[in-house]
Amino acid sequence: MRGTSLLGALRTRDPGYVVLRRATRLTLVASVVFYACRYGAGSPMLATYGLFGTIAAGSFAQLPGPAPQRARILVTSLPVVWALIAAGSLLAWSTWAAAGGMLVIGFVVAFAGVGNPRLVGWASAFQLFYILASFPPYQPGTLPQRLGGVTFAIVLLAAAEVFLWPDPVPVSYRQRLAEAADGVGAFLDAAADALTDPHAGPGGRDARRQRAYDVVAALDLGRNPPAWAPTAAGVQDRALRICAAALREVLAEADRLAADAPPEPIPDLAAAGLLRSGAGTTRAAGRSLSPGAPPVDLDDLDVAIGRAEAPYAVGGGAPDVPRLCRDATALALADQVRVFAVGARVATGSTPDGADDPSGLFEFARHSPWTLYWWQFRAHLAPRSAHLHSSLRLAVALAVARVAAGVLQLTHGFWVLLATLTVLRTSAADTRTALRPALLGTIAGAAVSGPVMLVVGEPVVYAVVLPVTLILAFGVGRLLGPVWQQALFTVLLTVVFAQLGPEGWRLAEVRLVDVLLGAVVGVLAGVAMWPRGAGHDLRRNAARLLASSGDAVERTVQAVLGGDDRPDRAIDQVRRRMVLVDSSYCQFHSERHDPRRQQVSWDVVLSAGHRVVPGVESLLRRNPPGCLAGWPAAAALLRDTAGHLHSAYDDLADEVAHGRTAAPLPVPGDCVDELNRVRPLLGAADPASVRHLVEVDRWLAGLADTLARIRPHDDRDVGRGGQE
């Protein structure tokens, strides 16, 4: 019964035995490497670099993708590993030279993650390779042994990744996106049925609506493992993030249309035709994300959009304002479906032309990966960049730790830098969280291993128990928690170095002193240097995005009312700020967040920019600048609405940036509300002008709805709202 209970607890803590599978694989590789190098080749140098190469690449590096992809990353990274070890070995002659190298390499390796946050875990392993080689003894003649040990370890680990119990492949973001597309497509069909036959199966519509919201919620970056979330600066990851934002807007517009169902069936309603065409295109775009699937065809959707837009060129007849209102919403929905479909094409390797991307939302797909990464780096080479701050913080902390270890002539000084790496995080809150388990675990591990080494002096005993300590440190310790993991890792290091040197029981004392010193350096750096992490940077960039979005919206309304300028410059500014917000959120996604702060649905904030950019282009295409000039009553209504909306954007930007209470947001209305607003203006107005008025007014109402979804929740809503 105890065994059954233990297995049950193990399954709960480690679904699929992923952690134990990795720990067993790492234990086998590390044991083979260490035994072959230490006792087979008789070389402590080979054994040291072989074992730590295995631990750095197998435990500290959190590599993305399935097993074959991780194996390729390991093998192709070998030249970088060789360069770091060579640099550390050649700079080990002087404490100050090694510390200067640590400052440069620490910054470059950490800042390189700005282009792909999923490689931050591998960056920690890169740091370790330089750290290990940069400590005395200064023996450049042993460089071949050092490189040989690391190479042997990484190649063997890469082979083990593929052939020894490979990890089960989790659900990828593309698969989640395809599932969300299928769920949203089903709800679009249900919404179309609601328009043409309002009394047909409301229960089925509710079930499809709930499923659509559930599968779209699964697209939030915070609900996906960092190694699989599309957070890189490359074309495919950017396109996937735009696809997710577009699906959220499609779902919101479909929900609005379903709520605006007419009291009697309207079989030939253009909105229903757009919904059904959008449903088919959405499903096809989702399926196209699967490997080997054909690209999505936009012809049917374009035909449906053209059919719905045709009445703009035709005058005559009294306007059916409720129907126009639904058509405007359906056209906004179809525009977002088109963005999703083009994004799916880009994510699968296509380059959009001007006809596919008139808004320029996918302009990045026309540039090389190196150009995109350079833009990303350049955007963050700024004094207030969170990426720049965290890279400088880590580099300075590691350099200071290297100086302290060298000046104090610590025997195993690299443990000081290892502790600094373990404790230091991108925010002071994360650093405090990591400090306690690091100290308690090290004290507990030293308290156990010290007396053991005092009693047991035979190296053969430690050679026998090495595999046991490996599986405990990287398997059991990880499942039990950070304190256990740190304690068992301390015991592991004691067992290893008992076979490499004659330190004896004092090794545990040395380990404890080194960790304490490294922790002090890490905490001081975390508290003294930009302690707020990416959250502050994200809030500032999001506030600027909201402010520029409000300006673009008001300029767009001025254009349709006959203003002199198009809102092109304002839209370009929204695009630039979208890039910064997007990048800030990718780093924020990896941090721990204070639950006491107001919560913000950051994925919806990103959607706000994605809604404004293509929305303005589509609106001006169907409602050209000056289309409502000469209608003073409509101008007054729209200017008033746009002004209030601009103020709401500014107020919400201030609230997001500083946590202040903003003025009440505009309340999103349904089609009946919009009808009541414009009805007094109709009179003998031209039908085409009425359609322009309805669409512009409905677009503003949709933006108000987006703002309502961004609004931070109070503490009572934490856990039910968005993520901070």
Side-chain angles (χ1 to χ4, degrees), residues 415 439 442-443 446 507-517:
W415 285 349
L439 294 181
T442 301
I443 293 172
L507 190 64
E509 177 187 0
V510 171
R511 163 76 177 162
L512 180 58
V513 172
D514 289 350
V515 169
L516 288 174
L517 178 58

Side-chain angles (χ1 to χ4, degrees), residues 9 27 80 95 115 178 180 212 222 301 354 359 385 417 444 460 474 516 540 554 585 603 651 653 705 708 714 718-719:
T27 297
V80 180
T95 293
L301 181 65
S359 66
S385 166
L417 278 78
V460 67
F474 298 114
L516 288 174
R540 184 181 66 249
E554 189 162 30
Y585 180 55
D603 288 281
D651 289 339
D705 183 50
D714 61 28
V718 173

